[in-house]
Amino acid sequence: RQEQTPSAIPAAPLNRDDVAYISILGNEIYHLLDNIRFGRAPVLQNREDIIVHAASLFADTPEMERHFYEIIKKRDQLADTYMKPFHTLFLHGKSPDIAHPCFGYIHLEPPIYENGRIILGAIISFIPEESNNKTAASLASEIVGALLQEPNLLAALRKADDELFASLLEVSLLKYYKRCVLSLLSAK
């Protein structure tokens, strides 16, 4: 009987870094899907009112609400956050006070008109500030991409069908997870 030497052992299709990435991605998807929040705004007058209201969506305390307000206000001042394809504001940023990415949407009834544009709602997304958390950033990008590519997903969001939206987003993110796993396997 011949003993296998280390050089005779076939290379594994994945390495430890790949497994860590897949595990982190799965964990982030799991947490995000359990923490989608929707809100209906009272009658708001302008962008500032939207930002104030959006800051409260994930805040459990007045301090967190101020913290989220500062993050999204600063981002909104850097560049216009209006997303024409969605007729929404995309209020997002990084926070050192959250452990996992979060996603939410605020329905505006009635809509707000600003500079000839209609604002139907606001997408709110926060990711952890950790510089090494590339998984959270790619997951947030995937959601925006899914909204652009999946008409049913955007339609559910616009119709305020929160349950259907959450279900469709889950399907979309699980497809993304599968693509990532298959991509790692095929790269080996």
Side-chain angles (χ1 to χ4, degrees):
R1 180 174 159 192
Q2 225 176 2
E3 263 188 58
Q4 282 192 334
T5 61
S7 62
I9 297 173
L14 297 174
N15 61 39
R16 290 175 68 109
D17 290 341
D18 296 333
V19 172
Y21 176 78
I22 291 168
S23 297
I24 291 168
L25 179 61
N27 188 45
E28 296 295 4
I29 290 171
Y30 179 83
H31 281 285
L32 186 132
L33 291 172
D34 277 351
N35 291 294
I36 297 172
R37 296 193 186 170
F38 298 97
R40 294 198 183 285
V43 176
L44 302 177
Q45 302 299 314
N46 54 42
R47 181 183 290 250
E48 180 66 19
D49 288 351
I50 297 170
I51 292 171
V52 168
H53 191 77
S56 69
L57 192 62
F58 291 101
D60 297 329
T61 65
E63 294 78 22
M64 279 302 280
E65 190 171 333
R66 279 191 296 279
H67 170 70
F68 288 142
Y69 171 82
E70 289 171 10
I71 291 170
I72 56 182
K73 181 68 175 181
K74 181 179 176 182
R75 177 63 185 88
D76 190 59
Q77 290 173 337
L78 285 174
D80 188 11
T81 56
Y82 184 74
M83 296 182 77
K84 187 176 181 177
F86 307 140
H87 302 291
T88 64
L89 297 182
F90 181 40
L91 305 173
H92 64 286
K94 295 179 180 180
S95 171
D97 295 336
I98 61 169
H100 303 283
C102 49
F103 177 87
Y105 185 78
I106 295 174
H107 303 277
L108 299 180
E109 294 174 14
I112 292 175
Y113 295 89
E114 174 188 79
N115 301 324
R117 303 181 297 193
I118 185 171
I119 302 174
L120 301 173
I123 294 170
I124 299 94
S125 177
F126 294 107
I127 61 172
E129 192 172 68
E130 303 168 22
S131 60
N132 63 348
N133 196 337
K134 294 176 184 154
T135 308
S138 66
L139 188 56
S141 294
E142 182 62 25
I143 293 171
V144 173
L147 284 167
L148 286 167
Q149 295 172 2
E150 302 285 338
N152 293 337
L153 191 60
L154 184 57
L157 197 60
R158 285 196 176 140
K159 289 179 185 173
D161 191 338
D162 304 343
E163 195 172 302
L164 178 60
F165 176 81
S167 176
L168 291 171
L169 182 62
E170 180 174 342
V171 169
S172 182
L173 291 179
L174 293 177
K175 285 180 184 177
Y176 171 64
Y177 180 79
K178 183 177 179 180
R179 281 193 319 269
C180 289
V181 171
L182 292 175
S183 174
L184 285 172
L185 288 172
S186 67
K188 302 296 175 185

